[in-house]
Amino acid sequence: MTDVRLALTGFGNVGRGVAEILRQNGDRYFDAYGLRLVLTGVADRGGAAVSRAGLLPADLIAAKQEHGTVAGVAGGHAGLAGDAFLDAAGAQVLLEGASTNFTDAEPGWSYAQGALRRGMDVVLASKGALVLHFDELMQGARQGGRLVRYSATIGAPLPILEIADRALIGVRILELQGIVNATANQILSLMSEGATYEEGVLAAQEAGIAETDPTLDVDGWDAAAKAVILARALFGAPLALDDVERQGIRGISTPDLENAKQAGQTYKLIARVVRDGNSVRATVSPERRPHSDPLGRLRGQEMGVVFKTDLLGDVTTTVEGTGGPSTALTVLRDVVNLARERGWTS
Amino acid sequence: MTDVRLALTGFGNVGRGVAEILRQNGDRYFDAYGLRLVLTGVADRGGAAVSRAGLLPADLIAAKQEHGTVAGVAGGHAGLAGDAFLDAAGAQVLLEGASTNFTDAEPGWSYAQGALRRGMDVVLASKGALVLHFDELMQGARQGGRLVRYSATIGAPLPILEIADRALIGVRILELQGIVNATANQILSLMSEGATYEEGVLAAQEAGIAETDPTLDVDGWDAAAKAVILARALFGAPLALDDVERQGIRGISTPDLENAKQAGQTYKLIARVVRDGNSVRATVSPERRPHSDPLGRLRGQEMGVVFKTDLLGDVTTTVEGTGGPSTALTVLRDVVNLARERGWTS
């Protein structure tokens, strides 16, 4: 039995999801891997809760609900953040799940750096630091003998990195095609059933899966960020967000959808990362696909990727579940796989 | 750089495929993992070739072609087999790919036992020993601190075990549904395009994917054997081949196919392994599926599985390529993943 002390930043869908899973199913990690996953610190915008003995997930969830911040737990610290939080938490692994941006990648970037400086391993659920500082992040980790994992950033819970790492061995990936943004796919699905773009966005917002400003999803920024991370992870290609040819779903009209339907097809927002001689290029754009296509058949919040390989042809994986719980599950699977690499599992 | 000495039994599609891959793409394993995969012994029905310094894959392929056996290489040994072969090969890992049966699982079962007794790890491409002697095999390996891998036996190159092991963490698998026999799927695809059953079988035989006696594939024995292995691997359930409710594809008539077609559906031979309270049951039978279904859309030699899980909903993976080269690639991916666990990779 090994205790793994976790510091968690952000207590939105992902962070609260992690607490929910540990509360309801924490024993699964113990039973299967001999790991006791213990939250020793959680920070959100209002402050932080820390306990070397371990915070109770139920207390964190209640404090967030009642006080709007995890700092509302007994002994919580309003305003505690950054390096002071990391020092107080005394964790082995940082789970970085705070909201971020593609301008300065904060607060995730500082948290990740602070964790590596303290000899912690890092599991990322936020994309900013990966999109803006991939090389620096990985170099920092390598120099300190630390591990960085980020399965949750590229369309969780899709097993993209796991398949690439464990199954596409001896095989060259030529191209990756994917539906990696569930919100855009949900909106397109509604539109293909007759909704206008505006109605589709509204319905996605009411279902809690689209933000008030849906730009990141509908204009393809989120998918482009994932393409950048995948280009790094699978091809080692240093693409920037601006390198991705990006077209969102706003421009798709009712006649477009009608034409597609009559041809037995449907529009999907497809991210592609393509090896092209010695270079790698990435695109995000709507494409017409037949319903029997591995990606064309995905509806609602389903996501999927197709690896195009040289020796095995197409290898596909798709998932049904998306959103908070599944992203949190993906974060915790990174923790387990990291713990295996560290030899902590039994 | 680490040399991994491999002993290979069987030089049919799988064995020759391994030699072809090492000949053409052996450098990939070295470049990516620091592994030099060296065949120090290869046995087929006619005898064996052994060399502690490493056999040349091209020589083995040529000997098989010219003499009908790898024993035809210079210095080859007609009749060398069994324990004497394993002793002569002096390998670290056995790749067991000889044709086998579900009556006595030979020669694979003896080879696997002999390898474990000699302190070798084992990668299986043949199913017999797993179907008939799973517990004994795994206990023997555990007692000797040895590893046994068998990804290639359950619908190679499907990444079933890799997804289960690395991505379905913290998640309970409730059921597995799959198309795991490419030959049956090929025949059904031809039948759905208008061929009779007999024409479908003949075409599959002419394409080299169905045996002269297609019983194992069309009567569902092969799929049932895979279901037995999957029941062990994913649910720890000790099913025997006879425990699988099994119905093949012979009984599907032209009117059946016509009715399905008119409903926008198609017949697929589906293997299911289902958790049912405290027990696990397995079935193989033809099912009608719509074309947009994750398994219904698979044509020709495509295969796929759907994991039904409690917290993530459905997780699906499908593959296009099957047959010799892809099975051989799967055997070698087991070698790499085993080498990682042993700490041989760099």
Side-chain angles (χ1 to χ4, degrees):
Chain A
M1 178 187 116
T2 310
D3 279 17
V4 183
R5 300 186 308 279
L6 307 170
L8 170 67
T9 50
F11 209 72
N13 274 341
V14 180
R16 199 173 50 242
V18 167
E20 286 283 10
I21 291 163
L22 293 181
R23 185 168 70 91
Q24 292 173 39
N25 296 306
D27 55 336
R28 291 188 180 186
Y29 300 90
F30 183 77
D31 295 344
Y33 310 100
L35 298 174
R36 222 169 60 90
L37 304 182
V38 183
L39 290 169
T40 58
V42 180
D44 63 17
R45 286 198 187 111
V50 291
S51 162
R52 295 288 174 115
L55 298 157
L56 285 181
D59 291 352
L60 295 163
I61 294 162
K64 180 75 176 187
Q65 201 154 14
E66 286 167 38
H67 307 286
T69 168
V70 294
V73 299
H77 305 272
L80 181 62
D83 283 356
F85 162 72
L86 292 175
D87 284 333
Q92 294 153 287
V93 183
L94 169 68
L95 312 186
E96 210 298 292
S99 300
T100 187
N101 61 69
F102 302 129
T103 311
D104 65 4
E106 292 299 350
W109 176 222
S110 291
Y111 272 123
Q113 288 176 297
L116 292 176
R117 273 198 308 270
R118 282 165 180 76
M120 298 167 68
D121 295 316
V122 174
V123 172
L124 295 166
S126 69
K127 288 181 277 291
L130 293 165
V131 171
L132 296 187
H133 304 288
F134 195 95
D135 277 348
E136 206 178 333
L137 181 64
M138 296 307 167
Q139 270 168 25
R142 216 169 12 248
Q143 281 164 10
R146 296 297 107 195
L147 302 172
V148 177
R149 288 186 170 263
Y150 49 94
S151 304
T153 64
I154 42 175
L158 280 169
I160 301 176
L161 299 182
E162 291 82 358
I163 288 176
D165 183 48
R166 294 278 152 175
L168 299 183
I169 289 176
V171 169
R172 197 149 285 161
I173 302 169
L174 306 174
E175 178 174 348
L176 192 83
Q177 296 183 6
I179 294 178
V180 290
N181 181 282
T183 306
N185 203 48
Q186 175 75 283
I187 295 169
L188 285 173
S189 294
L190 293 167
M191 289 169 71
S192 75
E193 289 158 14
T196 63
Y197 168 77
E198 289 74 17
E199 289 165 349
V201 170
L202 200 65
Q205 285 167 336
E206 281 169 356
I209 64 160
E211 307 288 328
T212 314
D213 174 6
T215 306
L216 278 181
D217 295 321
V218 299
D219 288 340
W221 288 109
D222 175 75
K226 287 166 177 162
V228 166
I229 298 171
L230 288 166
R232 288 280 189 170
L234 302 179
F235 299 95
L239 298 188
L241 201 48
D242 283 345
D243 295 328
V244 183
E245 274 178 59
R246 182 185 45 76
Q247 190 190 334
I249 64 172
R250 282 188 213 254
I252 300 172
S253 68
T254 307
D256 289 339
L257 289 162
E258 200 47 52
N259 286 338
K261 200 169 194 169
Q262 280 174 14
Q265 298 186 325
T266 179
Y267 275 92
K268 294 293 168 194
L269 186 64
I270 305 287
R272 285 176 187 254
V273 185
V274 187
R275 200 190 286 275
D276 191 1
N278 283 327
S279 74
V280 169
R281 61 194 168 75
T283 61
V284 171
S285 64
E287 296 184 19
R288 276 170 62 160
R289 299 274 178 136
H291 295 290
S292 58
D293 178 82
L295 301 179
R297 56 165 288 279
L298 301 177
R299 290 171 190 224
Q301 297 182 48
E302 292 177 318
M303 296 189 292
V305 296
V306 178
F307 295 91
K308 298 200 162 280
T309 74
D310 64 342
L311 300 181
L312 285 181
D314 290 0
V315 175
T316 298
T317 182
T318 67
V319 291
E320 186 181 30
T322 65
S326 64
T327 305
L329 279 164
T330 308
V331 166
L332 292 176
R333 103 183 171 212
D334 270 357
V335 171
V336 170
N337 285 326
L338 181 158
R340 286 167 152 172
E341 210 162 324
R342 286 261 171 254
W344 296 340
T345 49
S346 59
Chain B
M1 177 187 117
T2 311
D3 279 15
V4 183
R5 300 187 308 278
L6 307 170
L8 170 66
T9 49
F11 209 72
N13 274 339
V14 180
R16 199 173 49 240
V18 167
E20 286 283 9
I21 291 163
L22 293 180
R23 186 169 69 94
Q24 291 173 38
N25 295 306
D27 55 337
R28 292 189 179 185
Y29 300 89
F30 183 78
D31 295 346
Y33 309 99
L35 297 174
R36 221 167 63 90
L37 304 182
V38 184
L39 290 169
T40 58
V42 180
D44 62 18
R45 286 197 188 115
V50 291
S51 162
R52 295 288 174 114
L55 298 156
L56 284 183
D59 290 351
L60 296 163
I61 295 162
K64 180 76 176 183
Q65 202 154 15
E66 286 166 38
H67 308 285
T69 169
V70 295
V73 300
H77 306 271
L80 181 61
D83 282 357
F85 163 72
L86 292 175
D87 284 334
Q92 294 153 288
V93 183
L94 170 69
L95 312 185
E96 209 298 292
S99 299
T100 186
N101 61 69
F102 302 129
T103 312
D104 65 5
E106 292 299 351
W109 176 223
S110 290
Y111 271 124
Q113 288 176 300
L116 292 176
R117 273 199 307 270
R118 282 163 180 75
M120 297 168 70
D121 296 317
V122 174
V123 171
L124 295 167
S126 69
K127 289 182 277 292
L130 292 164
V131 170
L132 297 188
H133 303 288
F134 195 96
D135 278 348
E136 205 179 333
L137 181 64
M138 295 306 167
Q139 272 168 25
R142 222 175 4 253
Q143 281 164 9
R146 297 296 104 196
L147 302 172
V148 176
R149 288 187 170 262
Y150 49 93
S151 304
T153 64
I154 43 176
L158 281 169
I160 301 175
L161 298 182
E162 291 81 359
I163 289 177
D165 183 49
R166 294 279 152 174
L168 300 183
I169 289 175
V171 169
R172 198 149 287 162
I173 302 169
L174 306 174
E175 177 174 347
L176 192 82
Q177 296 183 6
I179 293 177
V180 291
N181 181 282
T183 305
N185 204 47
Q186 175 75 282
I187 294 168
L188 285 174
S189 295
L190 294 167
M191 288 169 71
S192 75
E193 288 157 16
T196 63
Y197 168 78
E198 289 74 16
E199 288 166 348
V201 170
L202 198 65
Q205 285 166 336
E206 281 170 357
I209 64 161
E211 307 289 328
T212 313
D213 174 6
T215 305
L216 277 181
D217 296 320
V218 300
D219 288 339
W221 288 108
D222 175 75
K226 288 166 177 162
V228 165
I229 298 172
L230 288 166
R232 289 279 190 170
L234 302 178
F235 299 95
L239 298 188
L241 200 50
D242 282 345
D243 295 329
V244 183
E245 275 178 57
R246 184 185 44 77
Q247 189 189 335
I249 64 172
R250 281 187 213 256
I252 300 172
S253 67
T254 307
D256 290 340
L257 289 162
E258 199 47 51
N259 287 337
K261 200 169 195 170
Q262 278 173 13
Q265 298 186 325
T266 178
Y267 275 92
K268 295 295 170 192
L269 186 65
I270 305 288
R272 287 175 186 254
V273 185
V274 186
R275 200 191 285 279
D276 191 1
N278 283 328
S279 73
V280 169
R281 62 193 168 74
T283 61
V284 172
S285 63
E287 296 185 20
R288 276 170 62 160
R289 299 274 178 138
H291 295 291
S292 58
D293 177 84
L295 300 180
R297 56 165 289 279
L298 301 178
R299 292 171 188 223
Q301 297 183 48
E302 292 177 317
M303 296 189 292
V305 296
V306 179
F307 296 91
K308 299 202 161 279
T309 74
D310 64 342
L311 300 180
L312 285 181
D314 291 359
V315 175
T316 299
T317 184
T318 66
V319 292
E320 188 182 28
T322 64
S326 66
T327 305
L329 279 163
T330 308
V331 166
L332 292 176
R333 104 183 170 213
D334 271 356
V335 171
V336 170
N337 285 326
L338 182 159
R340 286 167 152 171
E341 210 162 326
R342 287 262 170 250
W344 296 340
T345 50
S346 59

